[in-house]
Amino acid sequence: MKKSKQLILLATATTLVLAGCSKSESTEAAKVPFKDGSAQFVTTIDTLKGQLDASKVKDAKKVADQLEDQWASFEDEVKPKFPELYFKVEKFLTPLEAGLKEDKLDLPTLSALTKNLKSAMTELTTSFSSNTGAVNKDTIEASKALQDAAKAYNAYVQDQGNQLVKLLDDLNNAIKSGDMKKASEAYVLSRMPYERIEPIIETFSELDGVMDARVDDFKNEKDPAFTGYHRIEYLLFVKKNVKDAEPFAAQLLEDGKKMQKAIASTTIAPTDFIAGVGELMEEAQSSKITGEEERWSGATVPVIRANVEGAQVIYDLVKAELKKKDAALDEKISKSLAAVIETMNTLSPAGATWNDFGKMEQVKQVDLKNKLEALAEPLVKMPGTLSK
């Protein structure tokens, strides 16, 4: 594909993701071995290609859900071993799923995304079967410098757990005070430590579910099971009702204390903490950028900033080792990171106040998405490079 056509495709794909119908948090899919899961996944891609070539997709939404479920059934086996190829598959899969859920299908763009997804899966399957390019866990775990970096990261995670409880206590007190402005600002500030260590938080799925689940997972905004951050977000930013948020803020504080204890009992190995950088960037550039997580508060830039800050901590801790192994990669990450931070600062101030992402021009949203992707691409090469 010519470079100009590739750029047009990526711009269109970015717009599809920003349309706000990117994949939702996947439900727990039944896990299957890579060999079985990837074979099913490729068969679905081939079937979809045939449908698109015939200019018709029967029940496109169903195909999108099928792709999501099949990828979820084996992606955990791919992520730690082949983070770069994992990112490559997601780069085409996410806009494809979003595009298939649109009312009017953009057949040329969907066809190009399907072709690129098939190509990425072929590369992944080949690498997986020969173990070529896989992250070498033994090399990372044997490195004294990376062991020390992991210890420092463990201390950082513990500190974020402590900050989480402190800021949830602030949120609870602000809501009890009845001061809407104070409560709204405390809500966003309390999101920061949660988002900085999101890959660690998500390992405690039950607590994460009650603290951070979105309304899409429930009947509606009034569903009694809908609790945590986003129930409070709805009450503060849509209903403008501080009083009704009181029981949810008190429960969120108690759940935050449980999360802190769970974090305190965890030791993160060198390989796992380095792999976390990819998960944070995937969250930022693929999920958060749609604005759907902070759909009511509009605080999308602050939560993306927190994801990027979490990724930057990991990068800073291994930067010296990375520079020894690939100085060019280190320079690329450093420049891309500076570009993302500058763009975020231009779009919204750091701290307790923020500009509503939903009210920003789409060209600015696309620019941030592209810069996040430009940062994610070299960052996901980091685990493989460090394990050489």
Side-chain angles (χ1 to χ4, degrees), residues 1 6 9 92 111-121:
M1 184 180 291
Q6 181 75 18
L9 165 64
F92 301 116
S111 292
L113 288 168
T114 303
K115 182 181 175 185
N116 285 333
L117 178 60
K118 175 70 181 291
S119 175
M121 273 306 298

Side-chain angles (χ1 to χ4, degrees), residues 22-54:
S22 70
K23 65 181 179 180
S24 57
E25 294 292 299
S26 59
T27 52
E28 285 294 322
K31 303 299 179 187
V32 298
F34 174 84
K35 186 179 177 183
D36 299 335
S38 61
Q40 271 191 331
F41 190 56
V42 170
T43 298
T44 302
I45 294 171
D46 288 339
T47 302
L48 175 61
K49 182 180 180 306
Q51 292 172 330
L52 292 169
D53 287 346

Side-chain angles (χ1 to χ4, degrees), residues 119-357:
S119 175
M121 273 306 298
T122 301
E123 189 178 350
L124 173 61
T125 304
T126 303
S127 297
F128 201 96
S129 60
S130 62
N131 209 36
T132 304
V135 172
N136 189 330
K137 187 176 178 180
D138 292 341
T139 301
I140 292 177
E141 301 290 338
S143 166
K144 175 70 168 57
L146 296 180
Q147 286 176 15
D148 290 344
K151 284 179 187 171
Y153 186 69
N154 273 282
Y156 170 77
V157 169
Q158 302 302 329
D159 178 61
Q160 292 303 305
N162 295 337
Q163 283 194 38
L164 177 67
V165 172
K166 195 262 177 201
L167 292 170
L168 286 177
D169 191 36
D170 290 349
L171 172 62
N172 188 40
N173 289 329
I175 285 176
K176 282 197 290 188
S177 77
D179 186 326
M180 175 63 79
K181 183 173 183 295
K182 198 173 167 184
S184 300
E185 291 178 355
Y187 164 80
V188 172
L189 288 174
S190 71
R191 301 284 289 139
M192 300 298 98
Y194 200 95
E195 296 293 331
R196 288 187 192 114
I197 57 169
E198 194 161 23
I200 310 303
I201 293 273
E202 286 179 347
T203 60
F204 307 105
S205 56
E206 191 172 336
L207 269 176
D208 184 37
V210 295
M211 293 180 74
D212 197 32
R214 298 164 207 175
V215 70
D216 313 76
D217 297 330
F218 305 94
K219 286 181 185 174
N220 53 45
E221 294 85 353
K222 295 178 182 176
D223 188 329
F226 177 38
T227 59
Y229 276 116
H230 299 296
R231 181 67 179 257
I232 294 170
E233 181 196 6
Y234 172 72
L235 291 167
L236 294 182
F237 295 92
V238 179
K239 305 304 287 183
K240 310 290 183 190
N241 188 333
V242 185
K243 184 69 180 171
D244 283 1
E246 282 189 23
F248 296 102
Q251 185 58 51
L252 184 60
L253 173 59
E254 292 309 307
D255 290 334
K257 290 176 181 174
K258 291 177 188 171
M259 182 65 84
Q260 180 196 31
K261 285 182 182 174
I263 290 169
S265 67
T266 301
T267 300
I268 305 153
T271 306
D272 295 335
F273 106 84
I274 294 168
V277 76
E279 294 179 47
L280 282 161
M281 290 312 302
E282 177 61 27
E283 270 290 325
Q285 68 89 29
S286 173
S287 176
K288 300 291 193 313
I289 193 68
T290 66
E292 53 98 15
E293 179 155 349
E294 293 295 328
R295 67 190 72 174
W296 297 311
S297 69
T300 294
V301 175
V303 296
I304 288 177
R305 186 190 297 279
N307 283 157
V308 172
E309 286 174 351
Q312 185 178 5
V313 167
I314 297 171
Y315 165 60
D316 286 344
L317 285 170
V318 301
K319 181 179 170 64
E321 287 304 298
L322 183 65
K323 207 168 181 177
K324 289 179 195 170
K325 302 219 171 184
D326 191 336
L329 179 62
D330 173 65
E331 186 179 357
K332 192 170 184 181
I333 292 172
S334 183
K335 286 182 177 175
S336 300
L337 181 59
V340 166
I341 292 171
E342 183 183 357
T343 302
M344 288 192 299
N345 289 343
T346 303
L347 292 175
S348 188
T353 60
W354 66 96
N355 295 329
D356 190 332
F357 188 71

